[in-house]
Amino acid sequence: MELAEPAPQSILDQDLYKFCMQQAVLEHYPDVVVEYGFINRDPSMRFNQAAFTQLQKDIAHMEHTTATNKDIEYLKHTCPYLSAEYLQFLASYRFNPTVDIACSLDEMGALELKIRGKWTQVILYEIPLLSMISSAYFSHVDTDWNYTGQLEKITAKGSQLVDASCEFAEFGTRRRRDFKTQNMVVCALSQLHCGPGQCTGTSNVYLARKYNMKPVGTVGHEWTMAIAALEGTYENGNSLALRKWHATFKGSLGIALTDTFGTTAFFANFDRQLASLYAGVRHDSGDPFQFIERVHAHYTKIGISPATKTIVFSDGLDPEKAIRVRKYCAKYAVNCSFGIGTNFTNDFLCASDPTKQSKAANIVIKLLKCGDRYCVKLSDVTSKHTGDACEVERAQTSLTRLGLLD
């Protein structure tokens, strides 16, 4: 197997939405202490000592990763919604992994990782850590793969989407096999032919700058999870999160995430006033076709033309699925775009048998606690529920009693 290209020691090797959420946290909850935990959804994924040693080394190097003057100037001119106050904060920001991160490997090869500290301090760890974990695993444990055909594959995927009139962005940082793969992917997407569709950008700020693409992003589940916990309400968690987000960004980054506590609870909060403030919504779990119907019905019910809004789809997409979804959106006259991650940056075949798929990692880092309160996520797919089991049950009971959970 070819040697992996090392990830750049740049604070911009990060998804845009994390910087945006850090600004919002700095404004609304600057002193809250939080805890995150690593979740491996595939128990067969086990680490060996070599992979763990690489991960430890990569984590330790984070203390040397800081924002340069060039980085701050780029963000200032490219992302005008990032405030001067926030950019000043980011310029002096330092990772402190020795204090913030606890990482261990048990005798069975299961990785355990926790992050704890002020929310403003530790919010930027998630994406780099997921990238490091994947890179270490595929460098030292599962090595039955190579880069053969990757450039041709991503070019074909991008061309297929462009020719099918799809607007799409690369969302693959958190799920990339390694940096070399994502670098190859974004480079290829930046050179696609013109057509009825287009690649609208990448979530990775470093690669957006490198290839003169637009950095793009929305908001993560942790924003709504945390606010619901801190304010003590699942019933109104969505509306509080949406109003605070709008207070910070004044209409920029105006795509509302719908499935933190299930779409029924979301739509109950998403009244005409809020829906008018947001450019659209994001689908991240559940049946996308049913979701299109629900979005169309909801906007129509509250007196807003669905044709003036956009649905961003980001749940387990490949080109074929995105094209089917786009056609269904057209049937309902709803605008759409797509964020594609794993299928772009972790789609490999086994080197020993190219007829077999090399399994991608299925890993996440989720917010577990804010202060002394547990945080939960109630996805539209039960297997994606996260959080303390008792608190998940309490949230489900509360929302079900109110008729807000399917």
Side-chain angles (χ1 to χ4, degrees):
M1 190 185 77
E2 301 172 57
L3 291 177
E5 180 179 348
Q9 291 294 309
S10 170
I11 201 167
L12 297 189
D13 185 25
Q14 173 75 265
D15 279 346
L16 174 67
Y17 82 98
K18 278 292 184 173
F19 294 124
C20 300
M21 287 204 298
Q22 189 179 42
Q23 175 174 316
V25 171
L26 189 65
E27 178 178 342
H28 297 283
Y29 300 101
D31 298 316
V32 168
V33 173
V34 301
E35 181 179 316
Y36 296 84
F38 170 72
I39 300 171
N40 183 2
R41 292 173 174 162
D42 179 5
S44 70
M45 180 182 172
R46 300 287 176 169
F47 269 58
N48 57 28
Q49 190 57 50
F52 184 63
T53 298
Q54 178 184 318
L55 177 61
Q56 288 179 304
K57 181 179 177 181
D58 291 342
I59 290 173
H61 282 171
M62 294 185 79
E63 68 176 315
H64 304 297
T65 303
T66 60
T68 65
N69 290 337
K70 181 181 176 183
D71 295 336
I72 297 300
E73 282 301 308
Y74 172 78
L75 292 173
K76 177 181 178 181
H77 293 291
T78 308
C79 308
Y81 40 81
L82 296 178
S83 68
E85 293 79 8
Y86 170 67
L87 293 178
Q88 183 178 10
F89 170 86
L90 186 63
S92 62
Y93 175 84
R94 299 292 183 272
F95 288 106
N96 191 2
T98 304
V99 173
D100 301 333
I101 298 174
C103 186
S104 63
L105 189 70
D106 72 15
E107 64 277 3
M108 300 299 294
L111 181 67
E112 298 180 8
L113 188 148
K114 292 284 179 66
I115 309 161
R116 180 175 172 80
K118 274 193 175 184
W119 199 7
T120 52
Q121 166 63 26
V122 299
I123 193 171
L124 294 188
Y125 280 113
E126 175 190 357
I127 305 302
L129 285 175
L130 288 171
S131 301
M132 291 173 187
I133 291 168
S134 181
S135 181
Y137 178 80
F138 286 108
S139 293
H140 297 285
V141 181
D142 181 355
T143 59
D144 186 20
W145 60 278
N146 56 43
Y147 300 101
T148 301
Q150 280 296 303
L151 181 59
E152 295 79 6
K153 184 182 289 186
I154 188 58
T155 301
K157 290 177 181 179
S159 298
Q160 183 181 4
L161 289 162
V162 167
D163 291 341
S165 302
C166 291
E167 292 198 352
F168 63 97
E170 186 276 327
F171 273 17
T173 308
R174 64 192 298 121
R175 297 289 174 84
R176 70 191 185 195
R177 184 148 296 203
D178 59 7
F179 175 77
K180 179 175 180 176
T181 302
Q182 190 179 21
N183 185 48
M184 189 187 311
V185 165
V186 177
C187 178
L189 294 177
S190 73
Q191 299 173 21
L192 289 174
H193 66 278
C194 295
Q198 64 173 327
C199 179
T200 57
T202 171
S203 61
N204 187 291
V205 184
Y206 176 87
L207 292 173
R209 181 174 67 180
K210 181 177 181 179
Y211 293 109
N212 195 30
M213 298 179 77
K214 182 179 180 181
V216 295
T218 56
V219 64
H221 294 97
E222 71 174 282
W223 178 246
T224 306
M225 291 166 64
I227 289 174
L230 291 167
E231 305 297 341
T233 173
Y234 293 114
E235 179 183 1
N236 297 310
N238 283 292
S239 61
L240 287 172
L242 290 168
R243 293 184 193 284
K244 288 177 183 290
W245 188 259
H246 186 270
T248 297
F249 294 109
K250 310 296 190 297
S252 296
L253 308 167
I255 297 295
L257 183 56
T258 59
D259 69 331
T260 306
F261 305 123
T263 52
T264 298
F266 172 82
F267 285 125
N269 278 191
F270 201 53
D271 58 21
R272 180 180 173 82
Q273 181 189 32
L274 273 175
S276 298
L277 295 175
Y278 279 79
V281 296
R282 177 155 74 98
H283 170 269
D284 200 49
S285 64
D287 186 304
F289 304 100
Q290 292 179 8
F291 185 78
I292 293 165
E293 296 170 5
R294 293 187 72 174
V295 169
H296 183 275
H298 183 74
Y299 278 129
T300 301
K301 178 181 176 181
I302 60 177
I304 293 177
S305 169
T308 65
K309 300 297 181 179
T310 297
I311 305 175
V312 177
F313 295 88
S314 59
D315 179 35
L317 296 168
D318 57 30
E320 291 76 18
K321 184 176 181 180
I323 291 168
R324 293 196 305 272
V325 169
R326 192 205 69 79
K327 290 179 179 178
Y328 206 69
C329 282
K331 176 181 176 181
Y332 282 86
V334 180
N335 301 303
C336 64
S337 66
F338 304 91
I340 303 179
T342 304
N343 183 260
F344 277 177
T345 61
N346 212 330
D347 181 16
F348 286 81
L349 300 175
C350 294
S352 62
D353 184 357
T355 65
K356 294 183 179 179
Q357 190 76 17
S358 174
K359 187 162 59 171
N362 189 0
I363 54 178
V364 294
I365 291 175
K366 287 296 182 183
L367 189 65
L368 302 179
K369 295 182 77 174
C370 285
D372 60 352
R373 298 186 178 185
Y374 287 109
C375 300
V376 303
K377 173 190 170 190
L378 304 180
S379 169
D380 284 325
V381 174
T382 305
S383 62
K384 289 186 175 182
H385 289 359
T386 60
D388 173 78
C390 291
E391 187 62 21
V392 167
E393 184 177 357
R394 192 179 79 81
Q396 289 176 312
T397 300
S398 173
L399 291 172
T400 300
R401 187 182 300 119
L402 294 166
L404 298 178
L405 192 66
D406 293 333

